[in-house]
Amino acid sequence: MADRVGVTAPGATALADGIRAPGPVLAPGAAPGGELTLIRPARARRRRRLTITRVPRLARRAIGPIAAIALWQLVCSRGLFTSFEVASPVAVFDAARELASQGVLQSNLLISLQRVAIGLLLGVGIGVFLAVLCGLFWVGEDLLDPVIQAFRAVPILGLVPLVIIWFGVGEVPKIFLIALGCLFPVYLNTYAAIRNVDNKLVEAGRTFGLSRLGLVFKVILPGALPGFLVGLRFALVASWVIDVVAEEINAQSGLGYLINQAQSTNRIDIMFCCLTIYAVLGLVADAIVRLLERRLLVWRAAFAGG
Amino acid sequence: MAIEADQAPVGQSRAGLAVLATGVTRGFQPGRGVLCGLDLSIAPGEFVALLGRSGAGKSTLLRILGGLDPEYGGDVLVPERRAVVFQEPRLIPWLKVLPNVTLGLRRGPDGRPGLRQRSAGALSEVGLAGHARAWPVTLSGGEAQRVALARALVREPQLMLLDEPFGALDALTRTRMHTLLQALCARHRPAVLLVTHDVQEAVLLADRAVVLTGGKITLDVPVGLPRPRDPAQPAFQRLRTRLLAELGVNEHASVPAGSTAAD
């Protein structure tokens, strides 16, 4: 990033024609150094930066997905794939309109959303509760943490057959699996974050007379918030993954069920439509967490200048 | 984490002292004590500077007096209202400046408004009245340390424990902080224990300078210079040289006058 300038200063101060910098005062007896090549340090090119940052952030972030969709459409209309292999964006849109006009899309989307919401709420709630228990109390850590770690090692989808035996095929097994999938990332990240809260702050809080409860609510839990939000992101992803799998295996409703049905009727466009909805839901979930971060972590953003 | 502070008042202020420590010991490894039978007393309103080489146990003593380290031997008596200012400001990053100042304070008879008013008063005393609603990250190092001072002051401490509070500040800011601290101490008259390794700072601010060597106080001298003090005074220089010698620093004649750091 530094451009080389063909100016050499052989121990003197003349820079270029006509320019004379305030000269260094050489210590008496100090020999003039060897040839010195001068460079210019990195400097921003103002005009280009300005034009890019002038476009709103949302628009900048939309450029990538829009380009991807355009490429997808281009590949399809060029006939690189048959319509039995890959559905084009236009076909996906048509399928969505068809399903929506029958009311199928709304009802199945709603039931999936409901499962994910309930499972997420339960999983995050229990995860935070356990993290606080293990993070704050040695007894909790010694007794509970090893058990939780052991359960975490069990692949959740391996539980599907067992869960069907336990709970049948209704809503309970699906919500149970989703909650379980959300619990672990939230637990792990929140627990680690609680343990990583700067001990110097805890010490300061204690010297200034905070009670144990005050320490927990004013210092430890707010300090663990960034870690919790990381866990929440993982949990959001996990919840949808488990939702799809649970609905594809045994369900009469939901987006996963819709995909499964589409497979048996060979409706590749419906399959793509459902997958696209998942992608959009993922974007929405991410946006929600970003919003939460902006709201809850203002104290951290304050110095980044927005 | 179990801190069982001896909260029962032990005899009303023995001989009118703010700190009375006798035979204090503290070791982190068996056989190698950091403090070995240290005695120190501080009078109410007295400003004592505690000097020592790094690792001498200055901060260890301060942490004991502040109630942050219960694992000590010997006997220590301190007043109930104490406040600590650490080398780093240790502001809670997710609380704005004013709630940082009021942190852990109990509401008095004047309730929450009174608490806020007193805290705002402390902030304006350190010249940061306009920063009450700022986030700590937006403050400069000097400003953050002034907030830490306000947080200590608002507690009306009978003993202020300062653990190298200006060590991380630049020279110009440090000088301004010295002036501020002197003004605040003159007004509130707490007993002060200032841990520092800066001999000039000690002679400039303190009523008494003590040197900690080998786990004991090996030198205890009153400063006794009129305020405001001028580092160019011969008496100032003499005391400085004496303290430096106690710290094991020999000033050679060739070292230009005005170098201050003891380490």
Side-chain angles (χ1 to χ4, degrees):
Chain A
M1 287 308 287
D3 41 293
R4 229 153 241 282
V5 190
V7 178
T8 56
T13 52
L15 267 182
D17 317 308
I19 304 175
R20 241 177 135 44
V25 184
L26 291 176
E35 299 258 314
L36 209 67
T37 310
L38 301 181
I39 60 169
R40 289 209 171 88
R43 190 203 296 178
R45 269 163 221 167
R46 195 157 297 172
R47 223 194 306 157
R48 236 175 71 198
R49 275 179 73 100
L50 267 180
T51 47
I52 287 175
T53 46
R54 207 171 279 164
V55 181
R57 197 177 140 74
L58 196 70
R60 271 183 287 151
R61 286 184 65 82
I63 293 171
I66 289 171
I69 292 172
L71 189 70
W72 175 10
Q73 181 63 50
L74 190 75
V75 165
C76 290
S77 23
R78 276 298 167 112
L80 255 74
F81 301 102
T82 68
S83 57
F84 296 107
E85 288 166 347
V86 175
S88 70
V90 174
V92 166
F93 186 70
D94 287 342
R97 269 216 319 220
E98 180 195 328
L99 289 175
S101 69
Q102 298 163 355
V104 181
L105 189 65
Q106 298 92 313
S107 62
N108 284 297
L109 176 62
L110 210 67
I111 192 84
S112 285
L113 272 173
Q114 185 188 317
R115 284 170 187 151
V116 165
I118 297 175
L120 197 68
L121 219 64
L122 282 173
V124 170
I126 298 171
V128 169
F129 177 73
L130 290 175
V132 170
L133 218 59
C134 295
L136 296 184
F137 304 103
W138 294 107
V139 182
E141 190 198 15
D142 290 345
L143 294 182
L144 269 178
D145 186 57
V147 181
I148 298 172
Q149 297 290 349
F151 268 109
R152 188 175 71 93
V154 177
I156 286 168
L157 298 178
L159 291 175
V160 171
L162 192 64
V163 166
I164 292 171
I165 292 175
W166 285 351
F167 303 115
V169 290
E171 290 301 290
V172 179
K174 298 173 187 68
I175 290 173
F176 176 83
L177 287 172
I178 293 171
L180 206 60
C182 297
L183 191 158
F184 294 117
V186 169
Y187 167 78
L188 283 178
N189 285 286
T190 311
Y191 171 55
I194 287 176
R195 277 296 153 91
N196 273 329
V197 168
D198 190 353
N199 192 40
K200 290 183 167 180
L201 294 182
V202 177
E203 212 176 70
R206 237 179 23 215
T207 11
F208 290 116
L210 275 186
S211 62
R212 199 171 160 81
L213 221 60
L215 270 183
V216 168
F217 285 106
K218 285 214 163 131
V219 180
I220 297 175
L221 291 187
L225 204 56
F228 162 75
L229 288 171
V230 173
L232 185 62
R233 276 200 174 176
F234 282 120
L236 278 167
V237 174
S239 67
W240 283 108
V241 170
I242 295 167
D243 177 70
V244 181
V245 177
E247 287 175 350
E248 282 184 2
I249 292 168
N250 60 85
Q252 273 76 51
S253 58
L255 286 176
Y257 165 77
L258 219 52
I259 293 180
N260 230 22
Q261 286 296 103
Q263 187 201 8
S264 55
T265 53
N266 241 339
R267 287 291 302 272
I268 200 107
D269 53 341
I270 294 181
M271 293 168 74
F272 268 85
C273 174
C274 292
L275 294 175
T276 309
I277 289 172
Y278 278 128
V280 172
L281 286 174
L283 274 181
V284 171
D286 201 54
I288 290 173
V289 178
R290 273 165 189 275
L291 194 78
L292 269 179
E293 281 184 347
R294 260 218 302 276
R295 272 293 167 85
L296 297 175
L297 307 182
V298 264
W299 53 272
R300 213 167 51 165
F303 80 117
Chain B
M1 288 275 264
I3 293 189
E4 291 303 324
D6 203 354
Q7 293 293 5
V10 192
Q12 290 298 316
S13 66
R14 256 192 238 178
L17 286 178
V19 172
L20 179 59
T22 37
V24 179
T25 56
R26 176 69 167 107
F28 294 95
Q29 291 159 11
R32 290 185 58 196
V34 175
L35 302 177
C36 342
L38 173 140
D39 299 317
L40 178 69
S41 56
I42 301 175
E46 189 184 22
F47 193 130
V48 174
L50 176 64
L51 289 157
R53 294 204 228 181
S54 66
K58 305 186 293 286
S59 294
T60 306
L61 177 62
L62 183 132
R63 289 173 61 82
I64 291 173
L65 298 183
L68 289 168
D69 180 1
E71 309 273 325
Y72 63 90
D75 193 26
V76 176
L77 295 176
V78 287
E80 200 181 341
R81 289 204 310 274
R82 288 156 295 166
V84 187
V85 179
F86 301 95
Q87 175 161 10
E88 337 79 54
R90 297 204 193 180
L91 303 180
I92 310 293
W94 42 87
L95 295 179
K96 289 186 176 178
V97 165
L98 190 67
N100 255 297
V101 174
T102 59
L103 187 76
L105 278 179
R106 293 210 180 78
R107 261 175 272 175
D110 47 356
R112 189 177 286 270
L115 194 69
R116 292 179 68 89
Q117 205 177 353
R118 271 181 288 141
S119 303
L123 271 179
S124 56
E125 268 198 87
V126 298
L128 288 176
H131 289 64
R133 292 172 55 78
W135 292 108
V137 274
T138 61
L139 302 177
S140 70
E143 285 169 343
Q145 202 57 290
R146 266 145 69 198
V147 175
L149 257 174
R151 182 171 62 177
L153 268 181
V154 76
R155 274 142 240 272
E156 291 290 338
Q158 296 146 318
L159 174 63
M160 274 243 276
L161 299 161
L162 310 176
D163 191 359
E164 297 191 28
F166 314 128
L169 302 177
D170 65 273
L172 288 175
T173 311
R174 196 181 311 155
T175 306
R176 285 167 56 189
M177 291 293 277
H178 286 162
T179 313
L180 175 66
L181 180 63
Q182 280 175 300
L184 293 174
C185 284
R187 196 173 318 148
H188 297 268
R189 301 301 303 167
V192 180
L193 182 68
L194 169 73
V195 162
T196 181
H197 54 252
D198 184 341
V199 175
Q200 168 132 347
E201 183 173 277
V203 179
L204 193 68
L205 299 175
D207 300 320
R208 208 170 108 211
V210 296
V211 178
L212 182 59
T213 324
K216 283 181 182 167
I217 304 290
T218 52
L219 183 68
D220 188 338
V221 282
V223 175
L225 298 170
R227 294 172 193 268
R229 291 169 185 166
D230 177 8
Q233 285 172 325
F236 192 107
Q237 293 288 331
R238 273 199 300 278
L239 185 55
R240 202 175 131 264
T241 309
R242 188 170 163 208
L243 289 167
L244 279 172
E246 185 64 27
L247 290 163
V249 179
N250 281 314
E251 282 185 296
H252 290 289
S254 61
V255 175
S259 67
T260 57
D263 50 356

